Amino acid sequence: MTQPLDLAAAKNQLAARAREAGFDRIGVASIDIPEDEQHLLRWLDDGFHGEMDYMRRHGTMRSRPQDLVPGTIRVVSVRMDYWPAAARDAGAVLGDAGSGYISRYALGRDYHKVLRGALARLAKDLAGEIGPFGYRVCVDSAPVLEKAHARNAGLGWIGKHTNLLARDAGSWFFLGEILTDLPLPQDEPASAHCGTCTACITACPTAAIVAPYRLDARRCISYLTIEHHSAIPEALRPAIGNRIYGCDDCQLVCPWNRFAHAASHPDFKVRHGLDAARLTELFGWTEAQFEERMRGSAIYRIGYEKWSRNIAVALGNAPGSEDVIRALNQRAERTTEQVREHIDWALFRQRSGAVGVQSASQEDPGQNAVNTSM
Ligand code: B12
Ligand code: SF4
Ligand code: SF4
């Protein structure tokens, strides 16, 4: 006769293996997130997803993992810290308008690859020990409300900036999941500790956090520089400053990030000097150089055109200089229509002396209004 499976022991084995695989925390939750589903539907109705059609496409499948993988009854959530401690200081890069600021999460190897590989091995190893079970691993690779499940699994709370954060770990971490049919014992959801703080809302350069816990992605620099395919609305360009891929401002000011841990995974070490790169140098890369240097990085996914578009905006915000004007002119004749339009905007700013970073007010980001300070 086969012994019944000891689920508490299986969970302990999983936790021990997760630590060996480089994960910093693991927890287990049920699949039920009805309130989050309501928030998701409202967010979509308000159009806050912008051009991220994939967010609308899956509808409630995103909040019902049992519809995505039939038989799912638990979500195992994992956290992996990514703060690159050896990188040039974030504030120093943001304060140096001739440098390009790249989000801390994208300075090393693509996290999708790092976490997915480790999670797949973890689930496979557990199956080797306890016998076959149903599962699917996800790292931002399937329609799953990752933060909601992670909160319920005790990994942290969703902050007013909408990222997941923990008192002993801040928010500089990635999430991943194993959706499973194993009835593993559940953890307690984490309690929230934002209190009366509103630092992230105040710090956001584009006023994208329109209310606590509500992010209008169409205004968010992370969205604009990574997910938005069309031209970046002119009204928002000045506030983007020198952020050429993603944005960290709301996390940089969060008091709980004093308790964040440095990444221990070697794949999150800075590559290609991306923490201290000059805008003019990055703008001089050919498409072949972009492909070669960014392969294996999350940045590779946006492609050369959006990369060039983003740098053109940052050059338009850089202090006026002949070097910047030369770099812009050199690319102007051999590029796409979209990049060309952003170069023209940047050249106009450079020549009219209307440079410098401004905060954006909460006007409609859909409007391609010309900035009034020009
Ligand atoms: C779409 C997306 C984006 C979009 C939209 C972000 C967003 N807030 O939705 C954009 C491109 C802007 C983005 C940016 C970033 N992202 Co992103 N993104 C995602 C993705 C794919 C889906 C998120 C989602 O489901 N959004 C739907 C909306 C409805 O959710 P929400 O805004 O978080 O709202 C929730 C709560 O705030 C609450 N809520 C909503 N309204 C209200 C109202 C009230 C009154 C209350 C009480 C609650 C409440 O309910 C909602 C559901 O839980 C996830 C991966 C995944 N599959 O989950 C990664 C993910 C969230 N992103 C991640 C990261 C790292 C980032 C960036 C930090 C990257 C960067 N440095 O540029 C920024 C952070 C920007 C920010 N302030 O959120 C990590 C976050 C890790 C963490 N610690 O939380 C994730 C989990 C990827 C991963 N696997 O690690 N992202
Ligand atoms: S990532 Fe930047 S633009 Fe987006 S909400 Fe945070 S501070 Fe605002
Ligand atoms: S900055 Fe303040 S309000 Fe925003 S997530 Fe951190 S603790 Fe919460």
Side-chain angles (χ1 to χ4, degrees):
M1 218 173 78
T2 51
Q3 292 287 320
L5 181 62
D6 182 342
L7 290 159
K11 184 178 167 186
N12 288 339
Q13 270 169 305
L14 190 63
R17 284 193 169 276
R19 273 192 297 276
E20 283 163 25
F23 292 106
D24 295 288
R25 179 81 197 263
I26 183 168
V28 177
S30 81
I31 50 176
D32 302 318
I33 45 169
E35 281 177 29
D36 296 277
E37 179 172 282
Q38 289 311 307
H39 291 313
L40 168 68
L41 293 175
R42 182 172 167 214
W43 188 79
L44 291 169
D45 276 352
D46 287 342
F48 283 4
H49 58 294
E51 291 181 1
M52 294 183 288
D53 295 335
Y54 60 88
M55 290 301 295
R56 181 175 282 288
R57 204 176 309 130
H58 297 106
T60 55
M61 186 188 279
R62 183 170 289 275
S63 44
R64 299 181 191 185
Q66 68 277 30
D67 290 354
L68 177 69
V69 183
T72 299
I73 55 169
R74 292 285 185 275
V75 179
V76 179
S77 285
V78 294
R79 173 193 116 205
M80 194 181 277
D81 299 328
Y82 64 77
W83 179 258
R88 185 180 171 207
D89 178 69
V93 186
L94 284 167
D96 174 4
S99 290
Y101 184 84
I102 291 175
S103 280
R104 306 281 99 177
Y105 89 89
L107 293 172
R109 186 161 180 254
D110 188 347
Y111 73 96
H112 299 91
K113 295 178 196 290
V114 180
L115 269 78
R116 242 184 103 78
L119 264 182
R121 279 192 299 279
L122 190 61
K124 196 164 164 249
D125 288 352
L126 185 68
E129 281 176 36
I130 67 167
F133 64 94
Y135 69 85
R136 173 163 169 184
V137 302
C138 320
V139 180
D140 197 356
S141 52
V144 175
L145 280 180
E146 298 189 315
K147 295 176 282 187
H149 293 297
R151 177 201 57 219
N152 289 356
L155 268 55
W157 75 97
I158 299 178
K160 290 178 189 172
H161 52 24
T162 79
N163 294 294
L164 196 85
L165 71 163
R167 284 205 285 187
D168 61 349
S171 62
W172 303 110
F173 55 78
F174 298 119
L175 296 173
E177 304 76 36
I178 304 174
L179 310 183
T180 180
D181 59 4
L182 277 180
L184 293 169
Q186 295 171 42
D187 289 286
E188 285 295 313
S191 51
H193 299 276
C194 281
T196 56
C197 175
T198 51
C200 51
I201 300 175
T202 312
C204 176
T206 50
I209 308 169
V210 294
Y213 317 103
R214 302 209 72 222
L215 180 79
D216 184 346
R218 295 169 301 176
R219 305 188 65 86
C220 176
I221 296 170
S222 181
Y223 164 81
L224 291 168
T225 54
I226 302 172
E227 301 287 342
H228 186 69
H229 306 298
S230 314
I232 295 177
E234 277 190 33
L236 295 176
R237 290 181 199 176
I240 289 175
N242 64 344
R243 298 167 192 80
I244 57 172
Y245 184 91
C247 173
D248 290 330
D249 289 42
C250 51
Q251 297 184 86
L252 288 168
V253 297
C254 180
W256 291 107
N257 270 330
R258 284 199 300 264
F259 305 101
H261 308 278
S264 55
H265 203 295
D267 280 348
F268 296 142
K269 286 205 176 97
V270 180
R271 294 172 150 203
H272 300 294
L274 287 177
D275 58 333
R278 307 297 299 165
L279 288 170
T280 45
E281 186 198 321
L282 296 176
F283 204 55
W285 286 6
T286 63
E287 186 160 5
Q289 285 169 325
F290 172 84
E291 300 271 327
E292 184 208 319
R293 291 170 190 172
M294 293 297 102
R295 189 161 285 123
S297 152
I299 301 171
Y300 187 78
R301 293 194 305 130
I302 69 166
Y304 185 60
E305 184 177 34
K306 281 205 261 173
W307 170 252
S308 305
R309 174 199 68 181
N310 297 348
I311 302 172
V313 170
L315 286 169
N317 292 329
S321 91
E322 283 310 314
D323 279 355
V324 169
I325 292 175
R326 197 175 313 112
L328 286 163
N329 276 326
Q330 273 168 1
R331 287 283 307 276
E333 295 310 320
R334 45 180 179 94
T335 189
T336 63
E337 205 178 306
Q338 186 187 84
V339 177
R340 176 67 202 241
E341 184 270 312
H342 288 75
I343 289 177
D344 288 346
W345 175 85
L347 281 169
F348 179 74
R349 302 248 309 162
Q350 282 285 325
R351 290 190 179 123
S352 62
V355 290
V357 178
Q358 294 113 32
S359 289
S361 62
Q362 277 186 11
E363 63 218 26
D364 181 358
Q367 286 173 2
N368 244 10
V370 175
N371 187 281
T372 48
S373 66
M374 283 173 50

